[in-house]
Amino acid sequence: IIVTQLVRFQLNRRVSMQHLLRAMWETVEQKREASIPIDEIVSRRSWTKVAVLRLLKRAQRKGYVSKRHGDVWLLTEEGTSVASRVVRNHRLWGVYLINYADIAPSHVDRDADMIEHVLGRDLVAKLELLLDATKIPQSPHAIGVTQ
């Protein structure tokens, strides 16, 4: 029981970190601004400001983010690398679900969220071949709107 709880705790921490980095990436992508106010991150997730701040401090210790001034944060080079991989995996899975599992674009985000954190390198490589995706694909939500 203890081992199972420890594994679950570690998975939850990893997933939370990935969600934080994805929220930051998508904020930068949308705003075209590298500086990210904490309120922008809070608005993208159903977290409290205190929870986001706790995650940002953990991300800072890992070298993923740096604090600029006040409540403004930046992704570091390492953070950008990890965030781009997380976003890419999320979007690859989303595009797959829309194109091959016939899931509506408006519902794909939740389903992609449930699986993206456990995608292995082999499965990501297969998705890339299947979808011919060599870069971070466009958000599946945008794809669904334009189709």
Side-chain angles (χ1 to χ4, degrees), residues 99-126:
N99 291 313
Y100 295 96
D102 201 27
I103 295 178
S106 60
H107 293 89
V108 77
D109 195 50
R110 178 181 45 89
D111 294 331
D113 253 357
M114 293 169 57
I115 195 70
E116 73 187 47
H117 307 286
V118 294
L119 292 178
R121 291 176 195 250
D122 291 341
L123 183 54
V124 169
K126 287 178 185 176

Side-chain angles (χ1 to χ4, degrees), residues 4-61:
T4 301
Q5 291 298 342
L6 180 61
V7 168
R8 183 175 292 144
F9 174 76
Q10 290 172 335
L11 176 62
N12 288 339
R13 282 176 60 96
R14 190 174 83 235
V15 167
S16 293
M17 182 63 63
Q18 290 176 355
H19 283 168
L20 170 72
L21 296 174
R22 188 173 124 218
M24 292 180 77
W25 174 279
E26 289 174 345
T27 300
V28 169
E29 185 178 51
Q30 181 183 27
K31 301 281 185 184
R32 305 228 183 265
E33 172 66 38
S35 301
I36 309 163
I38 195 169
D39 292 333
E40 290 281 336
I41 300 166
V42 170
S43 71
R44 290 192 173 271
R45 305 297 308 181
S46 59
W47 294 326
T48 64
K49 190 171 184 175
V50 171
V52 171
L53 187 57
R54 192 177 307 128
L55 272 170
L56 284 166
K57 289 185 184 235
R58 190 158 49 95
Q60 187 177 30
R61 287 191 301 272

